[in-house]
Amino acid sequence: MALHGCSHAVVIALSAEGRSQRWIAHDPAVKKMRPMKFPSEIETLAMTDEPIKALLPKPGGHQFVMYGDSCSGVPGALHERTFAEVNAVVNRLSPYPEFILFPGDEIIGLIPDPTALRDQWKHFFDVEMAWLDRQKTPMWHTTGNHTAYDRMSEDIFREVLQLPDNGPKDQKGLSYWVRRGDLLMVFVHTLWSGLGGEGHVETEWLEAVLKQHADAKYKIVLGHHPVFPVNGFSGTYQREIGHEYAETFWNILVDAGVFAYLCSHILAYDVQVHHGVLQICTAGAGTAHRMPEGVEYLHCIQAALDENGLRYQVLDTGGVVREQLQWPPKSIGTPAEWRRLGVGKSDALFAGLMGTGHSIELHVTGRTALEPWAPEQTLFTAHSPEAIAPIWLGLRGPNQTLTLIVGKQPGRSPSYWFGPDLPANHDFDFHVAFYPEMGPGGILYRAHRETAWTSLKAAAATGIESVRWPNSWNVGYGQHGSADRPFKGHGLTVNVCMGSS
């Protein structure tokens, strides 16, 4: 997911010996500076020294960094340079993070030679991460498909990382948990060789740990593989955890009140929500190619978690905030601020791009027709005469699937988002929210009686953030008039409210 590109000026600082160094203070008010040295192969790396202001939690909260997938560990390789670019941004944060979460694939790995694998880990920690004082700023890791791909590599992962020894009997040092006051973090091994390898994950231990720590105010679960597809990249075991585990795994998180599941693997930044639990994918720590190219970018995430929820900023290699999130979103409005849209055409209550922090929520009620109707049925659309409606919400197919169609560029195929099926001869009462800060995960659905949001299913890498809303809205039929894809049921009402954070 990406909102915009950027360019930035860079500088190189040389020491008296002609070696490049960068200097950064933990606090701009502190004059004592700390050097950050990089491997000789990347001494010409250009960068700026300006501190980056970290988001801060309320007292008692937690301030941390999330990033994964550097696939480095080889001196002079491309990923050594790209990883250093991201690390340079982390090292500019002021104040410094309390801890760092790295959801896997630190090194390129995937080799049969244990000595060479140990050498990669040694280079990663002794050279590439030498700038980080891990006593002051602990760093916790998950396994990954580049680092724990067979029994040999699992054993070396345990040996080198020396992570807490509190996991299930056969996965000690691979799965584990960490408790920091009111924060519980559970790290799961999503490719355990004892269960079948990549994509196979144990769930009984996870459930037991979450129950054991039910008193934790904040709970985060981490694993390398996503549970839900990211940017349209999907495939059981290869892209996500095995599909046979997904429902059980996620229900455990929901039932335990977990705030977020943090993963990587798909080389992108992405956030979505399912039954109120976030899935955050951060896999931009240095692996050079992107999924997809031209949209995603190298990044790290700096976050603050407190009683108001989670706030974070996604920083690119120039230290520029490319994306951000506040979750849960603020309540969208009082009852007096909601507007009812009559069936038919009306002037839009909003037109143009949705700005950062803005959202639109629709409350839709009615009853479906007596018999199923497969052709498209319009609930709501935003349109203008010069183009196919860029926003269309309605029912499609014999199952009357709730569908959002978004046209982002003239002459290009639209993107689709899918919600639940609405059976014939049934009442419906639901909300759909457009939350552009979440990119493709920001098309949200919930039944009116529920409070937890779920992202509609999609295979897109971008969301509604770049779409200009037209100045005409329709309820009950399409842009071409009452005969254009009409709603076949009755009692349709659409209420709308605009929100901002």
Side-chain angles (χ1 to χ4, degrees):
M1 177 172 72
L3 299 189
H4 56 80
C6 69
S7 60
H8 56 274
V10 294
V11 296
I12 301 175
L14 296 178
S15 67
E17 294 81 14
R19 297 175 62 84
S20 62
Q21 287 187 330
R22 70 182 298 274
W23 297 79
I24 186 69
H26 282 197
D27 188 323
V30 178
K31 293 183 179 179
K32 184 177 180 181
M33 308 297 280
R34 183 187 75 252
M36 177 176 178
K37 299 181 180 180
F38 296 101
S40 58
E41 294 83 359
I42 53 171
E43 286 174 352
T44 58
L45 182 64
M47 58 192 68
T48 177
D49 291 336
E50 183 179 354
I52 297 171
K53 185 177 180 181
L55 301 174
L56 298 179
K58 288 187 172 183
H62 306 271
Q63 196 262 103
F64 55 98
V65 162
M66 308 177 280
Y67 67 149
D69 272 271
S70 50
C71 287
S72 196
V74 178
L78 171 62
H79 292 168
E80 184 182 53
R81 179 184 180 90
T82 51
F83 185 36
E85 291 175 346
V86 180
N87 281 333
V89 173
V90 177
N91 200 38
R92 288 166 55 193
L93 288 168
S94 178
Y96 227 47
E98 298 165 11
F99 56 89
I100 294 174
L101 303 177
F102 205 105
D105 283 358
E106 296 82 355
I107 59 174
I108 191 70
L110 287 175
I111 51 177
D113 182 357
T115 300
L117 189 62
R118 288 188 179 93
D119 287 344
Q120 288 187 18
W121 277 116
K122 181 175 177 59
H123 186 75
F124 178 87
F125 283 116
D126 294 354
V127 178
E128 295 180 282
M129 294 302 298
W131 57 273
L132 179 67
D133 184 344
R134 287 182 286 146
Q135 295 299 315
K136 293 182 178 178
T137 307
M139 186 175 185
W140 290 296
H141 308 253
T142 73
T143 54
N145 61 300
H146 283 259
T147 60
Y149 42 88
D150 57 17
R151 289 184 180 273
M152 176 273 292
S153 56
E154 286 177 331
D155 289 342
I156 290 177
F157 186 94
R158 291 183 176 104
E159 167 195 320
V160 172
L161 276 80
Q162 295 291 304
L163 295 164
D165 190 29
N166 55 20
K169 180 181 177 181
D170 297 326
Q171 298 181 66
K172 292 186 181 297
L174 303 173
S175 293
Y176 61 99
W177 57 266
V178 172
R179 184 75 185 255
R180 287 177 62 93
D182 58 4
L183 171 63
L184 172 69
M185 295 173 286
V186 186
F187 300 75
V188 297
H189 183 26
T190 59
L191 53 162
W192 181 31
S193 61
L195 199 59
E198 184 164 7
H200 291 274
V201 59
E202 181 276 340
T203 57
E204 292 182 2
W205 172 83
L206 169 63
E207 185 174 21
V209 170
L210 290 171
K211 287 181 177 178
Q212 177 188 349
H213 295 271
D215 65 314
K217 186 175 182 178
Y218 310 108
K219 303 180 186 75
I220 298 174
V221 175
L222 303 92
H224 185 63
H225 292 75
V227 178
F228 299 95
V230 171
N231 286 358
F233 293 93
S234 181
T236 188
Y237 311 119
Q238 184 176 359
R239 302 298 194 191
E240 305 102 49
I241 67 170
H243 291 175
E244 70 269 32
Y245 304 106
E247 183 176 1
T248 297
F249 185 94
W250 205 259
N251 285 342
I252 289 171
L253 306 192
V254 173
D255 292 344
V258 169
F259 192 92
Y261 175 68
L262 177 64
C263 59
S264 53
H265 191 52
I266 302 301
L267 301 173
Y269 159 70
D270 179 73
V271 60
Q272 48 191 282
V273 64
H274 297 275
H275 305 292
V277 179
L278 293 175
Q279 175 181 279
I280 303 170
C281 178
T282 171
T287 306
H289 61 283
R290 304 283 86 215
M291 297 171 73
E293 302 287 354
V295 174
E296 299 298 341
Y297 53 96
L298 298 180
H299 68 272
C300 61
I301 301 175
Q302 185 271 320
L305 178 65
D306 59 27
E307 61 190 35
N308 290 332
L310 179 70
R311 291 177 298 125
Y312 65 65
Q313 52 186 344
V314 186
L315 302 161
D316 68 13
T317 52
V320 175
V321 178
R322 294 280 287 271
E323 303 180 63
Q324 56 192 323
L325 180 70
Q326 176 177 317
W327 190 267
K330 293 182 179 179
S331 179
I332 202 162
T334 65
E337 293 174 309
W338 283 82
R339 298 284 191 89
R340 181 166 180 169
L341 304 177
V343 172
K345 185 176 180 180
S346 62
D347 292 336
L349 301 180
F350 162 82
L353 288 172
M354 295 178 66
T356 300
H358 288 78
S359 59
I360 295 177
E361 186 173 332
L362 303 178
H363 179 198
V364 185
T365 63
R367 187 174 181 86
T368 52
L370 206 58
E371 300 293 334
W373 182 257
E376 292 179 337
Q377 302 178 60
T378 303
L379 299 175
F380 169 86
T381 183
H383 61 91
S384 57
E386 65 271 11
I388 294 175
I391 298 169
W392 183 91
L393 179 70
L395 310 181
R396 298 172 74 243
N399 293 329
Q400 301 186 145
T401 303
L402 180 66
T403 304
L404 176 73
I405 304 176
V406 176
K408 300 173 185 176
Q409 297 180 32
R412 300 294 300 271
S413 296
S415 297
Y416 291 78
W417 279 260
F418 302 105
D421 297 336
L422 301 186
N425 198 29
H426 275 70
D427 294 330
F428 56 84
D429 187 350
F430 63 84
H431 295 245
V432 170
F434 301 86
Y435 196 34
E437 286 189 356
M438 294 180 70
I443 311 301
L444 309 176
Y445 169 90
R446 67 176 175 88
H448 183 64
R449 65 184 180 276
E450 298 173 351
T451 58
W453 289 103
T454 290
S455 298
L456 296 189
K457 297 176 183 178
T462 58
I464 203 81
E465 61 273 6
S466 63
V467 175
R468 292 188 175 276
W469 288 60
N471 54 15
S472 292
W473 291 357
N474 280 18
V475 170
Y477 56 77
Q479 71 183 104
H480 301 302
S482 59
D484 178 16
R485 297 166 290 171
F487 174 61
K488 290 295 185 177
H490 57 86
L492 177 62
T493 68
V494 176
N495 291 272
V496 62
C497 192
M498 315 291 296
S500 62
S501 58

